Amino acid sequence: MKVSTKGRYAIRLMIDIGIQSNGYVRLKDVARRQEISIKYLEQIVGLLQKAGLLLSSRGAHGGYRLSKDPYDYNMGEILKATEGSLSPVSCLEDEVNNCLRYNICSTIKFWQGLNDVINEYLDNHTLGELMEIEKNLKEKNIDYSI
Amino acid sequence: MKVSTKGRYAIRLMIDIGIQSNGYVRLKDVARRQEISIKYLEQIVGLLQKAGLLLSSRGAHGGYRLSKDPYDYNMGEILKATEGSLSPVSCLEDEVNNCLRYNICSTIKFWQGLNDVINEYLDNHTLGELMEIEKNLKEKNIDYSI
DNA sequence: TGATTTCCTAGTAAACCCATAGTATAATCA
DNA sequence: TGATTATACTATGGGTTTACTAGGAAATCA
């Protein structure tokens, strides 16, 4: 029941890019600030871009930027783009429903319920909210250091 | 974010044992009904027994039975016994909190919230409820076959 | 004693995670 | 144009976990 590094790093990357809100943000800078290998970030960012969550620009002064307002991203879409399906059991995935016991399964409703509460939570939290927290955290740290 | 077969099989096993409510239930029979390898079930049942969720009796006419009323089991304890921690990120596990970024992490509250909704759901559903569903499902299947 | 059933530990093939590496492609600037 | 910068794509590998399989010891009962 763990979210992999891909999903967790994706969220930190999105927050980081969102906060540097002027123009395109270089992956190199994200990697430095977040202490994540740039090569690994490249893979993660590729997934986010394919899902339309980020826009890219190649070459000098290139980088990545958000494709929409931070409050228009919900955390579910970011995680789904990087983690794939978030359902707790594979029987709930529409594409491949290969369980022979599906019709005689007394637990499917239970798992569906779990899936629902997870998705409801993730869909009701936005990137904008997390960016706010990050901003507040940064301000606090500056205050303490004075 | 997947529950492994251990957790899923454990639930089916507990339902199965709970429904055969007279005396000890042999693993051999559970394996046959649930179409799960008996050797694999042995390992799972060991975890459940260590957690005090099942009582065992060795030798001929031995087997396993529930240690308390079905409605006194919540699904969280069954899953935790077999899956280990259910928290979506390891930073939330009390024992080993080894993340150096903990104090400057803006996402920890988000993950804590997800952890909370998952645990709330699991702790508010009982084995007894799932046994009811299983019983209803069996009755229906019998009706159809007439 | 012999049949039955749990208990314990080891082994293993496959899948997945978490990167690292190298090369190709594209945009920019001097 | 040629050098530089940065993304894009694909392959590879070590380590861990998953999902079993296997063998035999220990306990219980007829």
Side-chain angles (χ1 to χ4, degrees):
Chain A
M1 277 291 277
K2 286 274 181 295
V3 172
S4 76
T5 53
K6 269 190 184 166
R8 289 188 282 119
Y9 289 179
I11 289 176
R12 283 165 55 190
L13 175 134
M14 294 291 284
I15 292 172
D16 190 294
I17 290 178
I19 281 182
Q20 327 290 322
S21 49
N22 42 351
Y24 289 96
V25 181
R26 288 185 304 179
L27 224 45
K28 191 205 281 184
D29 295 333
V30 178
R32 180 174 37 76
R33 282 190 294 265
Q34 299 298 324
E35 302 172 274
I36 302 171
S37 139
I38 188 169
K39 280 296 188 181
Y40 196 31
L41 276 183
E42 278 182 11
Q43 291 175 34
I44 295 167
V45 94
L47 297 169
L48 294 167
Q49 200 207 357
K50 269 176 199 159
L53 306 182
L54 283 176
L55 298 176
S56 72
S57 169
R58 286 180 160 202
H61 302 295
Y64 297 90
R65 67 179 178 83
L66 302 188
S67 63
K68 55 183 178 181
D69 187 273
Y71 291 94
D72 289 337
Y73 291 93
N74 68 62
M75 302 312 287
E77 63 183 323
I78 297 174
L79 286 174
K80 271 166 207 153
T82 44
E83 294 276 305
S85 163
L86 294 177
S87 60
V89 293
S90 56
C91 344
L92 295 176
E93 282 148 28
D94 328 299
E95 315 89 42
V96 204
N97 193 343
N98 50 5
C99 182
L100 297 170
R101 302 178 64 86
Y102 189 86
N103 292 319
I104 56 160
C105 184
S106 56
T107 64
I108 192 74
K109 206 178 157 190
F110 166 72
W111 294 121
Q112 183 67 60
L114 178 58
N115 192 48
D116 289 347
V117 301
I118 290 172
N119 278 298
E120 193 193 335
Y121 179 84
L122 295 178
D123 292 348
N124 283 302
H125 284 78
T126 69
L127 180 63
E129 288 172 48
L130 288 192
M131 281 168 55
E132 280 179 37
I133 296 173
E134 174 76 16
K135 281 175 191 166
N136 289 337
L137 212 54
K138 275 189 177 166
E139 279 171 23
K140 263 194 186 171
N141 284 337
I142 288 166
D143 286 349
Y144 281 132
S145 67
I146 291 172
Chain B
M1 278 289 277
K2 286 277 182 293
V3 172
S4 75
T5 52
K6 267 189 185 166
R8 289 186 284 121
Y9 289 179
I11 290 176
R12 283 166 54 190
L13 176 134
M14 294 291 286
I15 293 173
D16 190 295
I17 290 179
I19 281 183
Q20 327 290 322
S21 49
N22 42 349
Y24 288 95
V25 181
R26 289 184 303 176
L27 225 43
K28 191 205 281 186
D29 295 332
V30 178
R32 180 174 37 76
R33 282 189 294 264
Q34 299 298 325
E35 301 172 277
I36 302 171
S37 138
I38 189 169
K39 281 296 186 180
Y40 195 31
L41 277 182
E42 277 181 9
Q43 289 176 31
I44 295 166
V45 94
L47 297 168
L48 294 167
Q49 200 206 359
K50 268 176 200 158
L53 305 182
L54 283 177
L55 299 176
S56 72
S57 169
R58 284 182 163 197
H61 299 106
Y64 297 91
R65 65 179 178 84
L66 301 188
S67 63
K68 55 183 177 180
D69 186 273
Y71 291 94
D72 289 337
Y73 291 94
N74 68 62
M75 302 313 287
E77 63 184 323
I78 297 173
L79 287 174
K80 271 166 207 151
T82 44
E83 295 275 303
S85 163
L86 294 177
S87 60
V89 294
S90 55
C91 343
L92 294 176
E93 282 147 27
D94 328 300
E95 313 89 42
V96 202
N97 193 343
N98 50 5
C99 182
L100 297 170
R101 303 177 63 87
Y102 189 88
N103 291 318
I104 56 160
C105 185
S106 55
T107 63
I108 191 74
K109 207 179 156 190
F110 165 73
W111 293 122
Q112 183 66 61
L114 178 58
N115 192 47
D116 289 347
V117 300
I118 290 172
N119 279 297
E120 195 195 333
Y121 179 84
L122 295 179
D123 292 348
N124 282 301
H125 284 79
T126 67
L127 180 63
E129 288 172 47
L130 289 193
M131 280 168 54
E132 280 178 37
I133 296 173
E134 174 76 15
K135 280 176 192 164
N136 289 335
L137 212 54
K138 274 190 177 163
E139 280 171 21
K140 263 194 186 173
N141 284 337
I142 290 166
D143 286 348
Y144 280 131
S145 67
I146 293 170

